[in-house]
Amino acid sequence: MDHALIGQAKDLPVFTPTPFLTLAPIVLPSPGRPVDLHLKVSAPTTGTRLPIILLSHGHGRSNGPLATFWASHGFVVIQPTHLSSKSLSLDPKTYPEAPLFWRSRVEDMKLIIDKLDFIENEFPGLRGRIDKSRIAVAGHSLGAHTAGMLLGAQLKDPIDGKVVSMVEPRIKTGILLAPAGSGESLHAAAKSNPAYSALWGPIFTEMRTPALMVVGDNDISAHFTERGADWHADPYFLSEGKKSLLSLSGGEHGLGGIAGWDAGETTDESVEMVEVVRRMTVAYLRSELYPEDKAWEEACQALGSLGAIGKVESK
């Protein structure tokens, strides 16, 4: 059932949802990692050759409203618990890469792709139903940083200054939700804080895999930069290749509440905005993974007729 408060978002086209199941934890043995990698997997109860979304959480716990929606619309959604998760709260004094664990987060996603056979065998009824050639990645905030690196964004290692590339060619497209912008725009306090070192030197020019950036036009991150909300759109403007940018009117860093219904970290709670994100992202992924599918074109046309709720541009 659609939420009663989705407002104008009800006019964005979307196909009928189907039942899905969620299983957690699926535990991937991870030698050399402080703990084995725990996954939450959501998948439709019917259908074959199901596309995959790897969903990277922010510097917190979950992205429930997105995962459930995507799973009910035909995707197998895999959510890892990264080492930066609050549920683990690993001691930053013990791990040099803490608290963000930027490299480990990317390695988690690569491990998941390596172990897709294991994952589908652990999920009852999923064996043989996954299309391993259609993989997307998505992430919110710090998760967008992870997704961006898998799509080709590079990083100057804060320890030795070497440029790090961890692009994953098995991933065909992605979604960056409220991503961080250029390191050159960080203010002095952020540039001197080692906790933010992964944000000091992102290089977006090599992020060539098709991607959608989703930003809020009121996402002011004063703890990072003196620039306005446009800072979060840098990955769109500074990257190469086929890209789209969805800007949400009134959106702050929570994009209406995508981290979880009634989550305390949400400062801009809006069921309508969350529904816009859900419907537009599922349309984007459908069309990128299945080029003959016109879902994204139709969704953009519908959004354009709704006025000030948000806008899309592409290149």
Side-chain angles (χ1 to χ4, degrees):
M1 296 289 290
D2 283 338
H3 196 296
L5 302 180
I6 62 174
Q8 291 186 87
K10 70 180 185 304
D11 295 323
L12 296 174
V14 67
F15 53 87
T16 303
T18 61
F20 66 93
L21 295 174
T22 297
L23 180 66
I26 292 178
V27 181
L28 288 186
S30 309
R33 199 174 184 269
V35 296
D36 286 335
L37 180 58
H38 285 224
L39 309 176
K40 177 190 288 186
V41 180
S42 302
T45 57
T46 60
T48 59
R49 299 193 61 79
L50 301 170
I52 302 162
I53 302 174
L54 310 182
L55 177 55
S56 179
H57 62 72
H59 198 40
R61 295 180 184 269
S62 68
N63 295 282
L66 295 181
T68 55
F69 187 84
W70 290 339
S72 72
H73 287 80
F75 291 87
V76 175
V77 184
I78 304 176
Q79 298 173 261
T81 299
H82 296 303
L83 294 180
S84 63
S85 173
K86 295 295 192 297
S87 64
L88 294 176
S89 295
L90 297 177
D91 185 355
K93 296 179 181 179
T94 305
Y95 303 99
E97 201 184 317
L100 300 186
F101 292 96
W102 63 269
R103 189 189 299 268
S104 171
R105 293 170 64 97
V106 179
E107 291 172 344
D108 287 347
M109 305 303 244
K110 291 175 175 283
L111 177 62
I112 291 170
I113 299 175
D114 291 341
K115 299 298 184 181
L116 284 174
D117 288 344
F118 175 89
I119 293 167
E120 67 176 351
N121 286 333
E122 291 291 300
F123 194 115
L126 190 57
R127 183 186 301 178
R129 297 174 54 218
I130 292 179
D131 186 346
K132 301 178 182 67
S133 70
R134 302 183 197 270
I135 303 175
V137 65
H140 175 234
S141 193
L142 181 57
H145 184 278
T146 302
M149 292 201 69
L150 289 160
L151 297 172
Q154 299 175 339
L155 175 69
K156 290 184 180 179
D157 191 309
I159 295 177
D160 59 21
K162 294 182 179 179
V163 174
V164 178
S165 175
M166 300 182 74
V167 62
E168 176 50 72
R170 291 173 292 183
I171 293 175
K172 306 307 181 186
T173 187
I175 296 176
L176 276 58
L177 302 147
S182 169
E184 295 180 359
S185 296
L186 296 177
H187 51 52
K191 287 181 178 179
S192 63
N193 188 337
Y196 299 150
S197 60
L199 307 181
W200 291 347
I203 303 170
F204 298 115
T205 52
E206 297 302 313
M207 193 175 73
R208 301 180 185 278
T209 306
L212 168 67
M213 270 56 74
V214 183
V215 300
D217 67 5
N218 200 32
D219 186 1
I220 310 298
S221 298
H223 53 299
F224 286 136
T225 180
E226 295 176 355
R227 284 175 56 189
D230 65 300
W231 180 65
H232 293 281
D234 281 354
Y236 171 76
F237 289 106
L238 299 179
S239 63
E240 302 291 336
K242 184 182 180 184
K243 301 291 187 297
S244 292
L245 176 67
L246 169 61
S247 300
L248 301 168
S249 299
E252 298 178 14
H253 201 61
L255 302 178
I258 63 169
W261 301 116
D262 301 317
E265 65 199 77
T266 301
T267 59
D268 59 344
E269 186 170 291
S270 168
V271 175
E272 181 182 50
M273 192 181 304
V274 170
E275 190 67 15
V276 172
V277 175
R278 300 205 301 179
R279 295 192 180 203
M280 294 299 291
T281 53
V282 82
Y284 177 84
L285 293 175
R286 291 292 307 180
S287 292
E288 280 301 319
L289 294 174
Y290 302 91
E292 71 280 4
D293 194 318
K294 302 300 181 184
W296 177 240
E297 178 182 339
E298 294 168 359
C300 290
Q301 290 175 351
L303 183 68
S305 68
L306 297 181
I309 194 170
K311 62 180 180 180
V312 171
E313 59 181 283
S314 298
K315 64 177 184 178

Coordinates of all heavy atoms in Angstrom, one line a residue, residues 170-242:
R170 N 32.5 -4.9 -12.9 CA 31.3 -5.7 -12.9 C 30.0 -5.0 -12.5 O 28.9 -5.4 -12.7 CB 31.5 -6.9 -11.9 CG 32.5 -7.9 -12.4 CD 32.8 -9.0 -11.4 NE 33.5 -8.4 -10.2 CZ 33.9 -9.1 -9.2 NH1 33.7 -10.5 -9.1 NH2 34.6 -8.6 -8.1
I171 N 30.2 -3.7 -12.0 CA 29.1 -2.9 -11.7 C 28.8 -2.0 -12.9 O 29.6 -1.3 -13.4 CB 29.4 -2.0 -10.4 CG1 29.6 -2.9 -9.2 CG2 28.4 -0.9 -10.2 CD1 30.0 -2.2 -7.9
K172 N 27.5 -2.0 -13.3 CA 27.1 -1.3 -14.6 C 26.6 0.1 -14.4 O 26.6 0.9 -15.3 CB 26.1 -2.2 -15.3 CG 26.5 -3.6 -15.5 CD 27.8 -3.7 -16.2 CE 28.2 -5.2 -16.5 NZ 29.6 -5.3 -17.0
T173 N 26.1 0.4 -13.2 CA 25.6 1.7 -12.9 C 25.5 1.9 -11.4 O 25.7 1.0 -10.6 CB 24.2 1.9 -13.6 OG1 23.7 3.2 -13.5 CG2 23.2 0.9 -12.9
G174 N 25.1 3.2 -11.0 CA 25.1 3.4 -9.6 C 24.3 4.7 -9.3 O 23.9 5.5 -10.1
I175 N 24.0 4.8 -8.0 CA 23.3 6.0 -7.4 C 24.0 6.5 -6.2 O 24.3 5.8 -5.3 CB 21.8 5.6 -7.0 CG1 21.0 5.2 -8.3 CG2 21.2 6.8 -6.3 CD1 19.7 4.7 -7.9
L176 N 24.4 7.8 -6.3 CA 25.0 8.5 -5.2 C 24.0 9.4 -4.5 O 23.6 10.4 -5.1 CB 26.2 9.3 -5.7 CG 27.6 8.5 -5.8 CD1 27.4 7.4 -6.8 CD2 28.7 9.5 -6.3
L177 N 23.7 9.1 -3.3 CA 22.7 9.9 -2.5 C 23.4 10.8 -1.5 O 24.1 10.3 -0.6 CB 21.7 8.9 -1.8 CG 21.0 7.9 -2.6 CD1 20.8 6.6 -1.9 CD2 19.6 8.5 -3.1
A178 N 23.2 12.1 -1.7 CA 23.8 13.1 -0.9 C 25.4 12.9 -0.7 O 25.9 12.8 0.4 CB 23.2 13.2 0.5
P179 N 26.1 12.8 -1.9 CA 27.5 12.5 -1.8 C 28.3 13.8 -1.3 O 27.8 14.9 -1.4 CB 27.8 12.2 -3.3 CG 26.9 13.0 -4.1 CD 25.6 13.0 -3.3
A180 N 29.5 13.5 -0.9 CA 30.4 14.6 -0.6 C 31.0 15.2 -1.8 O 31.1 14.5 -2.9 CB 31.6 14.1 0.3
G181 N 31.4 16.5 -1.8 CA 31.9 17.1 -3.0 C 33.4 17.2 -3.0 O 34.1 16.4 -2.3
S182 N 33.9 18.2 -3.6 CA 35.3 18.4 -3.9 C 36.1 18.6 -2.5 O 35.7 19.4 -1.7 CB 35.6 19.5 -4.8 OG 37.0 19.9 -4.8
G183 N 37.2 17.9 -2.4 CA 38.1 18.2 -1.2 C 38.7 19.5 -1.2 O 39.0 20.1 -0.1
E184 N 38.8 20.2 -2.3 CA 39.4 21.5 -2.4 C 38.4 22.5 -1.7 O 38.9 23.6 -1.3 CB 39.6 21.9 -3.8 CG 40.7 21.1 -4.5 CD 40.9 21.6 -6.0 OE1 40.2 22.5 -6.4 OE2 41.7 21.0 -6.7
S185 N 37.2 22.2 -1.5 CA 36.2 23.1 -0.9 C 36.0 22.9 0.6 O 35.2 23.6 1.2 CB 34.8 23.0 -1.6 OG 34.9 23.3 -3.0
L186 N 36.7 21.9 1.1 CA 36.7 21.7 2.6 C 37.3 22.9 3.3 O 38.3 23.5 2.9 CB 37.4 20.5 3.0 CG 36.9 19.1 2.5 CD1 37.8 18.0 2.9 CD2 35.4 18.9 2.9
H187 N 36.7 23.3 4.4 CA 37.3 24.4 5.2 C 38.4 23.9 6.0 O 38.7 22.7 6.1 CB 36.2 25.2 6.0 CG 35.4 24.3 6.9 ND1 35.9 23.4 7.8 CD2 34.0 24.3 7.0 CE1 34.9 22.8 8.4 NE2 33.8 23.3 8.0
A188 N 39.2 24.8 6.6 CA 40.4 24.4 7.3 C 40.2 23.4 8.4 O 41.0 22.5 8.6 CB 41.1 25.7 7.9
A189 N 39.1 23.5 9.1 CA 38.9 22.6 10.2 C 38.7 21.1 9.7 O 39.2 20.2 10.3 CB 37.7 23.0 11.0
A190 N 38.0 21.0 8.6 CA 37.8 19.7 8.0 C 39.1 19.1 7.4 O 39.3 17.9 7.6 CB 36.7 19.7 7.0
K191 N 39.8 20.0 6.8 CA 41.1 19.5 6.2 C 42.1 19.1 7.2 O 43.0 18.3 6.9 CB 41.7 20.6 5.3 CG 40.9 20.9 4.0 CD 41.6 22.0 3.2 CE 40.8 22.2 1.9 NZ 41.5 23.3 1.1
S192 N 42.0 19.6 8.5 CA 42.9 19.2 9.5 C 42.4 18.1 10.4 O 43.2 17.7 11.3 CB 43.3 20.5 10.4 OG 42.1 20.9 11.0
N193 N 41.2 17.6 10.2 CA 40.6 16.6 11.0 C 40.9 15.2 10.4 O 40.3 14.9 9.3 CB 39.1 16.8 11.2 CG 38.5 15.9 12.2 OD1 39.0 14.8 12.5 ND2 37.4 16.3 12.7
P194 N 41.7 14.4 11.0 CA 42.1 13.1 10.4 C 40.8 12.2 10.2 O 40.9 11.3 9.4 CB 43.1 12.5 11.3 CG 42.9 13.2 12.6 CD 42.5 14.6 12.3
A195 N 39.8 12.4 11.0 CA 38.6 11.6 10.8 C 38.0 11.8 9.5 O 37.2 10.9 9.0 CB 37.6 12.0 11.9
Y196 N 38.2 12.9 8.8 CA 37.7 13.2 7.5 C 38.7 13.0 6.4 O 38.4 13.5 5.2 CB 37.2 14.7 7.5 CG 36.1 15.0 8.5 CD1 36.0 16.3 9.0 CD2 35.2 14.1 8.9 CE1 35.0 16.6 9.9 CE2 34.2 14.4 9.8 CZ 34.1 15.7 10.3 OH 33.1 16.0 11.2
S197 N 39.7 12.3 6.6 CA 40.8 12.3 5.6 C 40.4 11.7 4.3 O 41.0 12.0 3.3 CB 42.0 11.5 6.2 OG 41.6 10.2 6.6
A198 N 39.4 10.8 4.3 CA 39.0 10.2 3.1 C 38.3 11.2 2.2 O 38.1 10.9 1.0 CB 38.0 9.0 3.4
L199 N 37.9 12.3 2.7 CA 37.2 13.4 1.9 C 38.2 14.4 1.4 O 37.8 15.4 0.7 CB 36.1 14.0 2.7 CG 35.1 13.0 3.4 CD1 34.0 13.8 4.1 CD2 34.4 12.2 2.3
W200 N 39.5 14.3 1.8 CA 40.4 15.4 1.5 C 40.7 15.5 0.0 O 40.9 16.6 -0.6 CB 41.7 15.2 2.2 CG 41.6 15.4 3.7 CD1 40.6 16.0 4.4 CD2 42.6 15.1 4.7 NE1 40.8 16.0 5.7 CE2 42.0 15.5 6.0 CE3 43.8 14.5 4.7 CZ2 42.7 15.3 7.2 CZ3 44.5 14.3 5.9 CH2 44.0 14.7 7.1
G201 N 40.8 14.3 -0.7 CA 41.3 14.3 -2.1 C 40.5 13.5 -3.0 O 41.2 12.7 -3.8
P202 N 39.2 13.5 -3.1 CA 38.5 12.7 -4.1 C 38.8 13.2 -5.5 O 38.9 14.5 -5.7 CB 37.0 12.9 -3.7 CG 36.9 14.2 -3.1 CD 38.2 14.3 -2.3
I203 N 38.9 12.3 -6.5 CA 39.1 12.7 -7.9 C 37.9 12.1 -8.7 O 37.8 10.9 -8.9 CB 40.4 12.1 -8.4 CG1 41.6 12.6 -7.5 CG2 40.6 12.5 -9.9 CD1 42.9 11.9 -7.8
F204 N 37.0 13.0 -9.2 CA 35.8 12.5 -9.8 C 36.0 12.4 -11.3 O 35.1 11.8 -12.0 CB 34.7 13.5 -9.5 CG 34.3 13.6 -8.1 CD1 34.5 14.8 -7.4 CD2 33.8 12.5 -7.4 CE1 34.2 14.9 -6.0 CE2 33.5 12.6 -6.0 CZ 33.6 13.7 -5.4
T205 N 37.0 12.9 -11.9 CA 37.2 12.9 -13.4 C 37.2 11.5 -14.0 O 36.8 11.3 -15.1 CB 38.4 13.6 -13.8 OG1 39.6 13.1 -13.1 CG2 38.3 15.1 -13.5
E206 N 37.6 10.5 -13.2 CA 37.6 9.1 -13.7 C 36.4 8.3 -13.4 O 36.3 7.1 -13.7 CB 38.9 8.4 -13.2 CG 40.2 9.0 -13.6 CD 40.3 9.1 -15.1 OE1 40.1 8.1 -15.8 OE2 40.7 10.2 -15.6
M207 N 35.4 8.9 -12.8 CA 34.1 8.2 -12.5 C 33.3 8.2 -13.8 O 32.4 9.0 -13.9 CB 33.4 8.9 -11.3 CG 32.3 8.1 -10.8 SD 31.5 8.8 -9.3 CE 30.6 10.1 -10.0
R208 N 33.5 7.3 -14.6 CA 32.9 7.2 -16.0 C 31.7 6.3 -16.1 O 31.0 6.4 -17.0 CB 34.0 6.8 -17.0 CG 35.2 7.7 -17.0 CD 36.2 7.3 -18.0 NE 37.4 8.1 -18.0 CZ 37.6 9.3 -18.6 NH1 36.6 9.8 -19.3 NH2 38.7 10.0 -18.4
T209 N 31.5 5.4 -15.1 CA 30.4 4.6 -15.2 C 29.1 5.4 -15.0 O 29.0 6.3 -14.2 CB 30.4 3.5 -14.0 OG1 31.7 2.9 -14.1 CG2 29.3 2.5 -14.1
P210 N 28.0 5.1 -15.8 CA 26.8 5.8 -15.7 C 26.3 5.9 -14.2 O 26.3 4.9 -13.5 CB 25.8 5.0 -16.6 CG 26.7 4.4 -17.6 CD 27.9 4.0 -16.8
A211 N 25.8 7.0 -13.8 CA 25.4 7.2 -12.4 C 24.3 8.3 -12.3 O 24.3 9.3 -13.1 CB 26.5 7.4 -11.5
L212 N 23.5 8.2 -11.2 CA 22.6 9.2 -10.9 C 23.0 9.8 -9.5 O 23.2 9.0 -8.6 CB 21.2 8.6 -10.7 CG 20.1 9.5 -10.1 CD1 19.8 10.7 -10.9 CD2 18.8 8.7 -9.8
M213 N 23.1 11.1 -9.4 CA 23.4 11.8 -8.2 C 22.1 12.4 -7.7 O 21.3 13.0 -8.4 CB 24.4 12.9 -8.3 CG 25.8 12.5 -8.1 SD 26.4 11.1 -9.2 CE 26.6 11.9 -10.8
V214 N 21.7 12.1 -6.4 CA 20.5 12.7 -5.8 C 21.0 13.6 -4.6 O 21.6 13.2 -3.7 CB 19.6 11.6 -5.2 CG1 18.3 12.1 -4.6 CG2 19.3 10.5 -6.3
V215 N 20.5 14.9 -4.7 CA 21.0 15.9 -3.7 C 19.7 16.7 -3.3 O 18.7 16.8 -4.0 CB 22.0 16.8 -4.3 CG1 23.3 16.0 -4.8 CG2 21.5 17.6 -5.5
G216 N 19.9 17.3 -2.1 CA 18.9 18.2 -1.6 C 19.3 19.6 -1.8 O 20.5 19.9 -1.5
D217 N 18.5 20.5 -2.2 CA 18.9 21.9 -2.4 C 19.0 22.7 -1.1 O 19.4 23.9 -1.2 CB 18.0 22.6 -3.4 CG 16.6 22.8 -2.9 OD1 16.3 22.6 -1.8 OD2 15.8 23.3 -3.7
N218 N 18.8 22.0 0.0 CA 19.0 22.7 1.3 C 20.0 21.9 2.2 O 19.9 22.0 3.4 CB 17.7 22.9 2.0 CG 17.7 23.9 3.1 OD1 18.5 24.9 3.0 ND2 17.0 23.8 4.2
D219 N 20.8 21.1 1.5 CA 21.7 20.2 2.3 C 23.0 21.0 2.5 O 24.0 20.9 1.8 CB 22.0 19.0 1.5 CG 22.9 18.0 2.2 OD1 23.3 18.2 3.4 OD2 23.2 16.9 1.6
I220 N 23.0 21.8 3.6 CA 24.1 22.7 4.0 C 25.0 21.9 4.9 O 24.6 21.6 6.1 CB 23.6 24.0 4.6 CG1 22.6 24.7 3.7 CG2 24.8 24.9 4.8 CD1 23.0 25.0 2.3
S221 N 26.2 21.6 4.5 CA 27.1 20.8 5.4 C 28.2 21.7 5.9 O 29.4 21.6 5.5 CB 27.7 19.7 4.6 OG 26.7 18.8 4.1
A222 N 27.9 22.6 6.9 CA 28.8 23.6 7.4 C 30.0 22.9 8.2 O 31.0 23.6 8.4 CB 28.0 24.5 8.4
H223 N 29.8 21.7 8.6 CA 30.9 21.0 9.3 C 32.0 20.6 8.3 O 33.1 20.2 8.7 CB 30.4 19.8 10.1 CG 29.6 18.8 9.3 ND1 28.4 19.2 8.7 CD2 29.8 17.5 9.0 CE1 27.9 18.1 8.0 NE2 28.7 17.1 8.2
F224 N 31.7 20.7 7.0 CA 32.7 20.3 6.0 C 33.2 21.5 5.2 O 34.3 21.6 4.8 CB 32.1 19.3 5.0 CG 32.0 17.9 5.6 CD1 30.9 17.1 5.4 CD2 33.0 17.3 6.4 CE1 30.8 15.8 5.9 CE2 32.9 16.0 6.9 CZ 31.8 15.3 6.7
T225 N 32.2 22.3 4.8 CA 32.5 23.3 3.8 C 31.7 24.6 4.0 O 30.7 24.6 4.6 CB 32.2 22.8 2.4 OG1 32.6 23.8 1.4 CG2 30.8 22.4 2.2
E226 N 32.3 25.7 3.5 CA 31.6 27.0 3.6 C 30.7 27.2 2.3 O 29.9 28.2 2.3 CB 32.6 28.1 3.7 CG 33.4 28.1 5.0 CD 34.5 29.2 5.0 OE1 34.6 29.9 4.0 OE2 35.1 29.3 6.1
R227 N 30.8 26.3 1.4 CA 29.9 26.3 0.2 C 28.5 25.9 0.6 O 28.3 25.3 1.7 CB 30.4 25.4 -0.9 CG 31.6 26.0 -1.7 CD 32.1 25.0 -2.7 NE 31.1 24.6 -3.6 CZ 31.3 23.6 -4.5 NH1 32.5 22.9 -4.5 NH2 30.3 23.2 -5.3
G228 N 27.6 26.1 -0.2 CA 26.2 25.7 0.0 C 25.9 24.3 -0.4 O 26.8 23.5 -0.6
A229 N 24.6 24.1 -0.6 CA 24.2 22.7 -1.0 C 24.8 22.2 -2.3 O 24.8 21.0 -2.6 CB 22.7 22.6 -1.1
D230 N 25.2 23.2 -3.2 CA 25.8 22.8 -4.5 C 27.0 22.0 -4.3 O 27.4 21.2 -5.3 CB 26.1 24.1 -5.3 CG 27.2 24.9 -4.7 OD1 27.0 25.4 -3.5 OD2 28.2 25.1 -5.3
W231 N 27.7 22.0 -3.2 CA 28.9 21.2 -3.0 C 28.6 19.7 -3.2 O 29.4 19.0 -3.8 CB 29.4 21.4 -1.5 CG 30.6 20.6 -1.2 CD1 31.9 20.7 -1.7 CD2 30.7 19.6 -0.2 NE1 32.7 19.9 -1.1 CE2 32.1 19.1 -0.1 CE3 29.8 19.0 0.7 CZ2 32.5 18.1 0.7 CZ3 30.2 18.0 1.6 CH2 31.6 17.6 1.6
H232 N 27.4 19.2 -2.8 CA 27.1 17.8 -2.9 C 26.8 17.4 -4.4 O 26.8 16.2 -4.7 CB 25.8 17.5 -2.1 CG 26.0 17.7 -0.6 ND1 26.7 16.7 0.1 CD2 25.7 18.7 0.2 CE1 26.7 17.1 1.4 NE2 26.2 18.3 1.5
A233 N 26.7 18.4 -5.3 CA 26.5 18.1 -6.7 C 27.8 18.0 -7.5 O 27.8 17.7 -8.7 CB 25.6 19.1 -7.4
D234 N 29.0 18.2 -6.8 CA 30.3 18.2 -7.5 C 30.5 16.8 -8.2 O 31.0 16.9 -9.3 CB 31.4 18.4 -6.5 CG 31.6 19.8 -6.1 OD1 30.9 20.7 -6.7 OD2 32.4 20.1 -5.2
P235 N 30.1 15.7 -7.7 CA 30.4 14.4 -8.4 C 29.7 14.4 -9.8 O 30.2 13.7 -10.7 CB 29.9 13.4 -7.5 CG 30.0 13.9 -6.1 CD 29.7 15.4 -6.3
Y236 N 28.6 15.1 -9.9 CA 27.9 15.2 -11.2 C 28.7 16.1 -12.1 O 29.0 15.7 -13.3 CB 26.5 15.7 -11.0 CG 25.8 16.0 -12.3 CD1 25.3 15.0 -13.1 CD2 25.6 17.4 -12.7 CE1 24.6 15.3 -14.3 CE2 25.0 17.6 -13.9 CZ 24.5 16.6 -14.7 OH 23.9 16.9 -15.9
F237 N 29.0 17.3 -11.7 CA 29.6 18.3 -12.6 C 31.1 18.0 -12.9 O 31.6 18.3 -13.9 CB 29.5 19.7 -12.0 CG 28.1 20.2 -12.0 CD1 27.4 20.2 -10.8 CD2 27.5 20.6 -13.1 CE1 26.1 20.7 -10.8 CE2 26.2 21.1 -13.1 CZ 25.5 21.1 -12.0
L238 N 31.8 17.3 -12.0 CA 33.2 17.0 -12.2 C 33.6 15.7 -12.8 O 34.7 15.4 -13.1 CB 33.9 17.2 -10.8 CG 33.8 18.5 -10.1 CD1 34.6 18.5 -8.8 CD2 34.4 19.6 -11.0
S239 N 32.5 14.8 -12.9 CA 32.8 13.5 -13.5 C 32.6 13.5 -15.0 O 32.0 14.4 -15.6 CB 31.9 12.4 -12.8 OG 30.5 12.7 -13.1
E240 N 33.1 12.4 -15.6 CA 32.9 12.2 -17.1 C 31.8 11.2 -17.3 O 31.4 10.4 -16.4 CB 34.2 11.8 -17.7 CG 35.4 12.7 -17.5 CD 35.2 14.1 -18.2 OE1 34.5 14.1 -19.2 OE2 35.8 15.1 -17.8
G241 N 31.4 11.1 -18.6 CA 30.5 10.0 -19.0 C 29.0 10.4 -18.7 O 28.7 11.5 -18.4
K242 N 28.2 9.4 -18.9 CA 26.7 9.6 -18.8 C 26.3 9.7 -17.3 O 26.5 8.8 -16.5 CB 26.0 8.4 -19.4 CG 24.5 8.4 -19.5 CD 24.0 7.2 -20.1 CE 22.5 7.2 -20.2 NZ 21.9 5.9 -20.7

